[in-house]
Amino acid sequence: MDFLMSGLAACGACVFTNPLEVVKTRMQLQGELRAPGTYQRHYRNVFHAFITIGKVDGLAALQKGLAPALLYQFLMNGIRLGTYGLAEAGGYLHTAEGTLSPVRSAASGALAGMMGAYLGSPIYMVKTHLQAQAASEIAVGHQYKHQIFPPQSWKVALVAAMVSGIAVVLAMTPFDVASTRLYNQPTDAQGKGLVYRGILDALLQTARTEGIFGMYKGIGASYFRLGPHTVLSLFFWDQLRSLYYTYTK
């Protein structure tokens, strides 16, 4: 669970910060190995870069490389924080007397960070290539022509659904947990719940007794259900609509 929660939390943040990563990548590649004043500055500052990218490449370009960025964040932070959490839970960070050891803590953090960075490095490279892709008039650095999925591919819809699903499950899982428990609670002869008075009471009781993570039980199953469910719903809707119009003409 430590791996999953750490990875999903980082992915949720990545959805909102990826545009800044695109801007950072392009500004760092601008004028590579060229003396100041000898090249055209397409991006004068972070705000100018946002406007330029949105105007020339389109607003969608501000989320370039989002798919590998999410995978990188999930792997790196899931491994880094999850491994450190396991070390802490196993008691490896404490001395024989039970006190926290700064040396062991630092060593465990460094080892966990190295593992996450090493395993995530290939994905980070792909992310950088995609984020650097730009129209010729504002291109900086070497332009790799990677294409993860062909246009109109069902895989594009699946990735989009999985990406948007991060924000959805983070926002909705506590209410989903409360809803499940309200439906499943025992009732009296009049059908009134014996455990929870309502959704707010269910949320409060869960948070007080089980902590914040108790409100996110089943988040992994919710996330991996949401993306395929969305894609399949759209697929069947499109097929049924096509059949309807075919036989009603």
Side-chain angles (χ1 to χ4, degrees), residues 216-230:
Y216 281 92
K217 286 184 174 179
I219 190 172
S222 296
Y223 175 70
F224 288 110
R225 166 199 167 276
L226 184 64
H229 181 273
T230 302

Side-chain angles (χ1 to χ4, degrees), residues 105-120:
S105 180
S108 298
L111 181 60
M114 287 171 58
M115 289 175 58
Y118 179 78
L119 295 175

Side-chain angles (χ1 to χ4, degrees), residues 21-229:
E21 186 76 11
V22 173
V23 169
K24 175 190 77 75
T25 296
R26 297 196 183 185
M27 293 188 74
Q28 289 176 339
L29 291 173
Q30 183 172 241
E32 183 178 5
L33 297 180
R34 299 179 66 177
T38 63
Y39 60 89
Q40 182 180 358
R41 291 182 63 196
H42 299 299
Y43 313 109
R44 293 194 295 270
N45 53 57
V46 62
F47 302 107
H48 181 256
F50 266 107
I51 295 171
T52 301
I53 294 170
K55 186 183 297 182
V56 179
D57 285 342
L59 291 177
L62 290 168
Q63 286 289 15
K64 279 196 171 183
L66 181 59
L70 289 170
L71 182 57
Y72 170 76
Q73 290 293 335
F74 187 85
L75 283 176
M76 187 191 70
N77 287 287
I79 292 171
R80 183 177 61 180
L81 299 178
T83 302
Y84 186 85
L86 289 176
E88 184 177 25
Y92 298 109
L93 308 185
H94 295 79
T95 63
E97 292 75 25
T99 58
L100 181 66
S101 169
V103 175
R104 292 186 182 184
S105 180
S108 298
L111 181 60
M114 287 171 58
M115 289 175 58
Y118 179 78
L119 295 175
S121 181
I123 304 167
Y124 193 93
M125 182 182 70
V126 175
K127 175 190 74 71
T128 301
H129 290 177
L130 293 173
Q131 290 176 338
Q133 286 180 353
S136 57
E137 58 265 37
I138 60 169
V140 293
H142 184 74
Q143 294 292 290
Y144 286 90
K145 299 301 180 183
H146 296 306
Q147 187 178 42
I148 298 180
F149 303 123
Q152 307 304 319
S153 170
W154 63 270
K155 297 177 183 177
V156 176
L158 178 60
V159 170
M162 297 305 286
V163 170
S164 61
I166 295 170
V168 174
V169 297
L170 287 174
M172 293 302 298
T173 296
F175 300 99
D176 195 21
V177 170
S179 174
T180 299
R181 295 185 175 188
L182 283 168
Y183 280 123
N184 192 59
Q185 70 175 325
T187 58
D188 59 18
Q190 288 74 42
K192 185 178 180 181
L194 297 176
V195 182
Y196 310 107
R197 294 191 300 273
I199 188 168
L200 290 179
D201 182 53
L203 289 170
L204 287 173
Q205 286 199 56
T206 301
R208 287 171 183 164
T209 307
E210 303 174 48
I212 189 67
F213 291 120
M215 300 173 66
Y216 281 92
K217 286 184 174 179
I219 190 172
S222 296
Y223 175 70
F224 288 110
R225 166 199 167 276
L226 184 64
H229 181 273

